[in-house]
Amino acid sequence: MRIIKFALLGVLFYLPALAQAHEIKEPQRIVALAPHIVENLFAIGAGERIVGTVDYADFPQQANDIERVGGYYGINMEKLLSLKPDLVLAWKTGNKAEDLAYIEKLGIPVAYSNPNQVDNVADELRKLGTLTHLQTKANKVAKQFETKLNAIRRAQEGKPKVSVFYQLWPEPMMTVGGNTWINQLLTICHADNVFATSDTDYPRISIENVLVANPEVVIIPDEKSKKPQPKIDWRQWPELPAVQHNQFISVNADLLHRFTTRMLDGLTDMCGKIDVSRQQIQASK
């Protein structure tokens, strides 16, 4: 549950990402305070400059060897300072505000990453390129991202909508509202999120709520967790269209829940699985 919150809180609102880029000299010792920042730095060729990061920053493989300075629970300032960073890249809504304020008070340059739209990933890559003086590589990676994203969108155009329930977490049961990153991805796949009109971004719901919403497909992200996730046997409710058509999809949370170039791999996979479900549902009608 806490892992998901740490991975997704950044979609709540957007602040200008890396807004202080023009004030910072070329950094050589970077502390990156979010898994998606680490991935994107490696993607543009700046991964070797990362001297500190947070829990769950596990891609690419080299990221596992980077010193940990904290996680969703906060930042260990003593560890951070011992690394002598010349730049801290932070996640405004994924890191504690008091920690970030303290780092700034110490005079360490801080820049912020806060993508909340799918297209923002390309913007983030370019801004990281500006910060690290790797603009050429960053522009290339950003352009590749945009080209692939546009191709996915074109491939999904005109397909019939299918109603889906995204089971973000089983206990307490949570899903995603219409304002979230995941809802944007579902929309690209021409899937209608049955909880898109929820008043909150990550509503807690009940079995009864799902039965009333009547989804044709249930999507379950495979989320890393130190404790086994409880399973919900939806087949106990045969009146549910997803049960009647046997439409249950598993997706990779590490890909879909992070604001990185790999998100498109997860999106391609999810759209493809939704396509199969769509065809099977139509064939059974």
Side-chain angles (χ1 to χ4, degrees):
M1 174 65 194
R2 289 177 176 174
I3 302 170
I4 291 177
K5 285 184 177 179
F6 187 61
L8 291 176
L9 279 173
V11 301
L12 299 181
F13 62 90
Y14 179 71
L15 296 175
L18 310 178
Q20 300 165 321
H22 62 285
E23 301 173 3
I24 301 170
K25 295 179 180 180
E26 182 176 356
Q28 297 300 321
R29 297 183 61 81
I30 299 172
V31 170
L33 298 181
H36 76 271
I37 298 175
V38 170
E39 285 197 34
N40 287 335
L41 284 170
F42 272 101
I44 66 168
E48 297 301 320
R49 303 188 197 178
I50 307 172
V51 295
T53 188
V54 290
D55 299 343
Y56 304 109
D58 55 6
F59 188 90
Q61 182 61 38
Q62 307 94 289
N64 291 287
D65 298 327
I66 300 171
E67 182 76 24
R68 308 287 136 158
V69 298
Y72 61 85
Y73 45 82
I75 303 302
N76 183 321
M77 292 300 168
E78 185 177 351
K79 272 191 175 182
L80 186 146
L81 290 173
S82 72
L83 296 173
K84 299 180 180 178
D86 49 23
L87 173 64
V88 171
L89 291 173
W91 189 7
K92 194 76 172 185
T93 50
N95 299 127
K96 288 188 173 182
E98 56 267 35
D99 286 346
L100 301 180
Y102 185 73
I103 295 169
E104 289 185 345
K105 187 177 180 180
L106 292 172
I108 300 171
V110 180
Y112 294 101
S113 171
N114 258 332
N116 74 339
Q117 299 291 324
V118 175
D119 297 278
N120 289 155
V121 173
D123 300 330
E124 293 281 295
L125 290 164
R126 290 189 172 98
K127 288 167 184 174
L128 285 173
T130 299
L131 267 178
T132 57
H133 293 211
L134 294 169
Q135 292 96 328
T136 300
K137 178 65 181 296
N139 285 334
K140 181 180 179 180
V141 176
K143 185 63 178 176
Q144 290 171 341
F145 178 91
E146 291 168 334
T147 299
K148 185 174 180 179
L149 176 59
N150 289 333
I152 294 171
R153 283 177 167 145
R154 287 194 300 270
Q156 294 299 310
E157 285 178 358
K159 292 183 177 179
K161 295 289 183 68
V162 58
S163 64
V164 304
F165 162 52
Y166 196 91
Q167 183 185 299
L168 182 60
W169 197 251
E171 192 176 292
M173 192 183 297
M174 293 180 67
T175 187
V176 294
N179 240 357
T180 60
W181 169 270
I182 296 299
N183 190 71
Q184 293 178 50
L185 302 182
L186 292 171
T187 300
I188 291 173
C189 296
H190 275 228
D192 278 336
N193 173 13
V194 294
F195 290 101
T197 58
S198 173
D199 292 336
T200 59
D201 288 339
Y202 302 103
R204 290 191 179 190
I205 56 171
S206 65
I207 296 291
E208 290 72 21
N209 294 143
V210 177
L211 296 178
V212 169
N214 219 31
E216 296 173 295
V217 179
V218 174
I219 301 177
I220 303 174
D222 180 16
E223 180 74 46
K224 287 182 180 177
S225 177
K226 294 179 180 179
K227 295 181 180 180
Q229 295 181 48
K231 303 289 185 182
I232 298 174
D233 183 7
W234 289 105
R235 289 172 177 78
Q236 296 179 63
W237 296 276
E239 65 271 31
L240 202 64
V243 175
Q244 294 170 13
H245 300 298
N246 193 31
Q247 297 303 323
F248 296 90
I249 292 174
S250 176
V251 295
N252 188 323
D254 274 358
L255 299 180
L256 287 171
H257 294 178
R258 294 184 184 180
F259 317 105
T260 70
T261 57
R262 290 195 305 149
M263 178 272 294
L264 296 183
D265 296 331
L267 179 61
T268 299
D269 174 69
M270 183 169 71
C271 287
K273 289 175 177 175
I274 291 173
D275 281 343
V276 172
S277 291
R278 181 184 288 113
Q279 293 164 10
Q280 292 177 352
I281 291 168
Q282 290 177 332
S284 66
K285 291 181 178 179

